[in-house]
Amino acid sequence: MAFAQRLDRIAGLTEARLATLVGANSQGSEDAGRVPSRLFEALRHATLGGGKRFRPFLVVESAALFGLSEEAALDTAAALECVHCYSLVHDDLPAMDNDTLRRGQPTVWKAFDEWTAILAGDALLTVAFETLSAPSTHPNAEVRLALIAGLSKAAGKDGMVGGQALDLEAERLAESQALTVREILHLQSLKTGALIRFACEAGAMLGEASPDERDALGRYGDAIGRAFQIADDLLDVEGCAETVGKAVSKDAAAGKATLVSLLGIADARAALAQAEHDAVSALTPFGARGNLLIEAARFVSRREH
């Protein structure tokens, strides 16, 4: 199956699993009756009906390298997507990035209000770890514990949250203390890269892979995470809101330092090409089995939204 078809298929499977996890599959369900209605609708708004589900794709396809079925990897993929969706809900808040458009629709705080958005993000974060702890995620409790530990680190102070803190602090100090290229790469490796690396390593955890195989997927995740962020920065400069599905030109308006602002478009594109090359090279140990993940790296570096 071609990459685009696989991406769409896994997106559909993830969407269905998310609907179940947040209790949003039926307004008349027992779960819907227990969840306060405003929170219920905000969870639906935050998780359903949009997004490429790229991180779940990486989980499922990395697990497939070790013979696992889609179904065997889907709960982990959906748990990770819950964390990703929570991060978007909170990042969009006025106190953070102050965005009003996400995936072509109003952000959660804009569609509801700030307190509802904060609680919706909190709920999604806890759903993720509730899901990973369930025996249905993997029969081996040690694997489930490794997944919980891995996602906790990737999402927390040493990962995504830490990266967001560095990003906001850099905005505050933009005029007096400009970031270097090395500092930007570190920041982005936490804010964006940590969850993407976990997505790739999670497949190895589920497949109980060897340390060398997990390391290879970790290096692939690092490279593709770097590519993802550079492509995102280029889209902020060159894209339009209608195509990208969110506000553009925000980095420049906020005085935010990115690789594009420091290096220029041409050198940023060269860095993007290098990141794609590094991602493809990391998959060498898997031979032809890694072809779909190679296509994923190429998709990231060439994406238009």
Side-chain angles (χ1 to χ4, degrees):
M1 187 181 293
F3 166 76
Q5 292 174 301
R6 285 293 295 159
L7 186 63
D8 286 346
R9 173 173 171 77
I10 294 169
L13 293 171
T14 303
E15 179 96 355
R17 189 57 57 94
L18 286 171
T20 300
L21 291 178
V22 302
N25 57 323
S26 171
Q27 279 280 16
S29 71
E30 185 181 355
D31 281 348
R34 290 202 300 265
V35 179
S37 59
R38 189 173 184 80
L39 177 61
F40 177 81
E41 290 302 327
L43 289 171
R44 287 172 57 94
H45 189 88
T47 56
L48 305 180
K52 293 177 287 294
R53 314 299 188 191
F54 184 63
R55 291 159 189 78
F57 170 88
L58 292 174
V59 174
V60 173
E61 290 303 328
S62 295
L65 292 175
F66 309 104
L68 271 72
S69 67
E70 295 169 342
E71 181 63 26
L74 200 55
D75 277 355
T76 301
L80 173 56
E81 189 69 0
C82 282
V83 172
H84 176 55
C85 290
Y86 127 75
S87 76
L88 300 181
V89 172
H90 280 193
D91 284 0
D92 290 336
L93 288 165
M96 304 274 268
D97 291 343
N98 193 26
D99 278 318
T100 60
L101 187 68
R102 172 72 65 180
R103 294 171 176 170
Q105 62 180 357
T107 53
V108 176
W109 79 265
K110 189 68 174 176
F112 295 87
D113 49 49
E114 291 184 57
W115 68 261
T116 304
I118 292 169
L119 292 177
D122 293 344
L124 288 172
L125 181 61
T126 52
V127 165
F129 293 104
E130 179 184 0
T131 301
L132 289 183
S133 69
S136 57
T137 294
H138 196 281
N140 186 336
E142 291 186 2
V143 170
R144 299 197 302 273
L145 185 60
L147 290 167
I148 291 169
L151 184 54
S152 297
K153 184 172 183 179
K157 62 181 178 59
D158 298 318
M160 181 185 68
V161 169
Q164 177 71 340
L166 290 174
D167 197 25
L168 293 172
E169 180 71 4
E171 282 189 42
R172 187 175 70 85
L173 300 174
E175 294 185 3
S176 60
Q177 189 176 329
L179 295 182
T180 65
V181 169
R182 182 175 180 178
E183 288 170 333
I184 290 172
L185 287 171
H186 173 63
L187 181 162
Q188 294 178 343
S189 74
L190 300 180
K191 181 178 177 180
T192 301
L195 285 190
I196 291 178
R197 179 184 175 112
F198 172 78
C200 301
E201 290 184 323
M205 294 180 203
L206 288 165
E208 300 181 76
S210 71
D212 286 346
E213 290 168 325
R214 178 171 169 176
D215 178 68
L217 282 171
R219 286 185 284 108
Y220 170 79
D222 282 338
I224 203 171
R226 190 165 72 252
F228 194 97
Q229 185 61 61
I230 297 170
D232 204 55
D233 292 343
L234 285 165
L235 283 172
D236 187 69
V237 173
E238 300 178 317
C240 64
E242 290 77 12
T243 302
V244 177
K246 61 180 180 179
V248 296
S249 302
K250 289 206 65 182
D251 291 344
K256 183 180 293 187
T258 67
L259 286 185
V260 178
S261 68
L262 263 66
L263 302 178
I265 290 176
D267 285 349
R269 289 203 174 279
L272 177 58
Q274 182 62 54
E276 178 187 335
H277 173 78
D278 292 345
V280 172
S281 296
L283 294 172
T284 299
F286 302 106
R289 289 182 295 150
N291 284 346
L292 271 174
L293 291 175
I294 289 173
E295 288 302 310
R298 290 172 178 157
F299 162 80
V300 165
S301 65
R302 294 161 174 75
R303 69 192 183 98
E304 297 179 354
H305 57 84

